[in-house]
Amino acid sequence: MRTRILLLAGALAGAALAGCSPAANQAATANGSANAAMPAAADHEAAIRAITERWLELVRNRDAAGIAQLYSEDGAVLPPNAPAGIGRPAIEQVWRDMMAAPGIELTFAAEQIVVASGGDMALDRGTYRLAYDGPNGRVTDTGKYVVVWRNVAGEWKAAADIFNSDLPAA
Amino acid sequence: MRTRILLLAGALAGAALAGCSPAANQAATANGSANAAMPAAADHEAAIRAITERWLELVRNRDAAGIAQLYSEDGAVLPPNAPAGIGRPAIEQVWRDMMAAPGIELTFAAEQIVVASGGDMALDRGTYRLAYDGPNGRVTDTGKYVVVWRNVAGEWKAAADIFNSDLPAA
């Protein structure tokens, strides 16, 4: 009997913990309940890191249209030595141009992610590594980036994305 | 008598409005009153624009130490073709180096300011104009920037600042 009560208590505790999961919180927020627990900053950070993994996969697949969907409708990509691309069609074109470099390999990783208290904006600062085949052989570059994420209807989207090289101008 | 009552009513209304000023709201927030009115997004945006005016004045005065104070303690400035400067001493050095260019003139202006719902983070995207005397005459450049502002103990500070040129690499 004591064992059965302990098992029941364990099951109830498990159910209570499940109610605290990010998925449950997201659902509660989406339902518009003002008293529902908000997703924690750690949950938001994990969501942003997961989108970054998807982004890297889209780069490997040279999928400029897919990458453009990671930005907000009025999002901006600000590449060095080229004009800003604002809005998804322009963003897609910037990515298409960048990924046209032969043998391009691009990776990036966050160094700092800070989520605003309201869970609707986040700062993401990190570094990138880039390589491609130039006319005189393989070109490699390292640099830094800032992405400002905005939570639009429960989905994190890149609202501004800007980067530049660490290396002296050629 | 009617006139005197109207004047008094006007004075009371003025006092009430003064209680709604950004400064009063800031003070209420700093005092930690949970029920105090939060400053509106427009107040935060105005505060950020005022700091930007101060920043431009510090650039005109070549005051790198003053500019470094506009950043958060762990803030980052990310200049093109140079390493990141993280923390105020490094930020001050980056600005000292940039402003050493002879006859430098630098201005910048926001195109988009978005304040997070909690009033603790803001996205600031804009453009810059730069000119200086190079070895072969006056050099001019235009480009774009992103500053992520964080509200630290009631004061807006630049947490990340990154920019790059619109012009093709020389």
Side-chain angles (χ1 to χ4, degrees):
Chain A
M1 182 62 184
R2 178 172 290 249
T3 305
R4 209 178 295 171
I5 288 170
L6 283 174
L7 283 172
L8 180 64
L12 286 170
L17 284 170
C20 294
S21 74
N25 283 338
Q26 291 282 7
T29 305
N31 287 340
S33 164
N35 293 321
M38 296 284 287
D43 295 333
H44 286 306
E45 182 177 332
I48 288 167
R49 289 186 186 277
I51 296 169
T52 301
E53 288 305 312
R54 186 142 50 96
W55 194 331
L56 290 169
E57 191 186 344
L58 290 164
V59 171
R60 286 192 295 272
N61 294 337
R62 312 281 185 270
D63 186 347
I67 293 170
Q69 294 300 316
L70 302 181
Y71 292 76
S72 60
E73 292 274 2
D74 66 344
V77 62
L78 309 174
N81 306 117
I86 300 181
R88 285 180 183 153
I91 290 166
E92 182 176 336
Q93 190 59 51
V94 167
W95 276 97
R96 202 178 299 285
D97 291 347
M98 284 198 296
M99 295 191 300
I104 189 173
E105 291 180 289
L106 170 65
T107 58
F108 43 90
E111 281 195 348
Q112 182 188 42
I113 296 180
V114 181
V115 180
S117 63
D120 60 336
M121 188 178 287
L123 158 62
D124 174 359
R125 176 174 60 76
T127 58
Y128 74 79
R129 300 180 72 85
L130 171 68
Y132 58 92
D133 296 323
N136 304 312
R138 195 80 178 152
V139 177
T140 58
D141 181 28
T142 60
K144 45 222 175 298
Y145 76 83
V146 168
V147 173
V148 183
W149 296 90
R150 293 184 67 193
N151 194 325
V152 181
E155 269 200 292
W156 286 101
K157 296 287 182 185
D161 171 21
I162 178 168
F163 44 98
N164 63 39
S165 176
D166 292 341
L167 308 184
Chain B
M1 180 63 184
R2 180 172 288 251
T3 305
R4 208 178 297 170
I5 286 171
L6 284 173
L7 283 172
L8 181 64
L12 287 171
L17 283 170
C20 294
S21 73
N25 283 337
Q26 291 282 5
T29 305
N31 287 341
S33 165
N35 293 321
M38 297 283 288
D43 296 333
H44 286 306
E45 182 176 332
I48 288 168
R49 288 186 187 277
I51 295 169
T52 301
E53 288 305 311
R54 187 143 48 96
W55 194 331
L56 290 168
E57 191 185 345
L58 290 164
V59 170
R60 286 192 294 271
N61 294 338
R62 311 282 185 269
D63 186 347
I67 292 170
Q69 294 300 315
L70 302 181
Y71 291 77
S72 59
E73 291 274 4
D74 66 345
V77 62
L78 310 175
N81 306 115
I86 300 181
R88 285 181 182 151
I91 290 166
E92 181 176 335
Q93 190 59 52
V94 167
W95 275 96
R96 202 177 298 285
D97 292 347
M98 285 199 294
M99 295 191 301
I104 189 173
E105 289 180 289
L106 170 66
T107 58
F108 42 91
E111 282 195 346
Q112 181 188 41
I113 295 179
V114 182
V115 179
S117 62
D120 58 337
M121 188 179 287
L123 158 62
D124 174 358
R125 176 175 61 74
T127 58
Y128 74 79
R129 299 181 72 87
L130 171 69
Y132 59 93
D133 296 322
N136 304 313
R138 195 79 178 153
V139 177
T140 58
D141 181 28
T142 61
K144 45 225 175 295
Y145 76 83
V146 168
V147 172
V148 183
W149 296 90
R150 293 184 68 193
N151 195 324
V152 181
E155 268 200 293
W156 285 101
K157 296 288 182 183
D161 172 20
I162 178 167
F163 44 98
N164 63 39
S165 177
D166 292 340
L167 308 184

